[in-house]
Amino acid sequence: AVGLKNDLDQISSLVEFFDFAVNEQCNEYEECSMLQPFLDNNKAVFGVEYTMKVEDYCSETNDMDMDWLAKNWDLDSCVYACR
């Protein structure tokens, strides 16, 4: 499987060539809607936020059928899954 990471500007032209998308901080930058072409094509979208509170984005990403995590910048074992 091949995933597209953080390339929101080219999603519409690349979605057919990738099996899933991985994104960092689309909630913080209010860009998650740009990942919709993957969802429209029944392809998974995975992501992570580093600084936002989970209550500020987990409900929205769950409603959009995305799988999201909260991590800290140290990328240690500390993790929270929205689902």
Side-chain angles (χ1 to χ4, degrees):
V2 180
L4 181 68
K5 181 176 182 260
N6 290 341
D7 192 1
L8 298 175
D9 293 332
Q10 296 188 75
I11 284 179
S12 60
S13 58
L14 296 177
V15 66
E16 66 181 290
F17 303 107
F18 290 88
D19 301 307
F20 61 92
V22 177
N23 183 268
E24 294 174 293
Q25 297 179 276
C26 75
N27 289 287
E28 182 170 336
Y29 298 109
E30 299 179 4
E31 300 170 330
C32 292
S33 63
M34 295 176 74
L35 294 157
Q36 191 62 45
F38 273 89
L39 301 170
D40 291 344
N41 284 277
N42 297 312
K43 296 181 178 188
V45 175
F46 305 100
V48 64
E49 298 291 334
Y50 301 105
T51 59
M52 292 181 70
K53 296 178 183 177
V54 294
E55 54 269 13
D56 292 338
Y57 64 87
C58 278
S59 178
E60 180 181 337
T61 55
N62 287 344
D63 289 346
M64 293 179 74
D65 203 23
M66 298 183 192
D67 291 296
W68 230 257
L69 298 176
K71 295 279 298 173
N72 60 40
W73 284 115
D74 294 330
L75 300 178
D76 56 21
S77 62
C78 180
V79 65
Y80 175 84
C82 288
R83 294 185 185 208

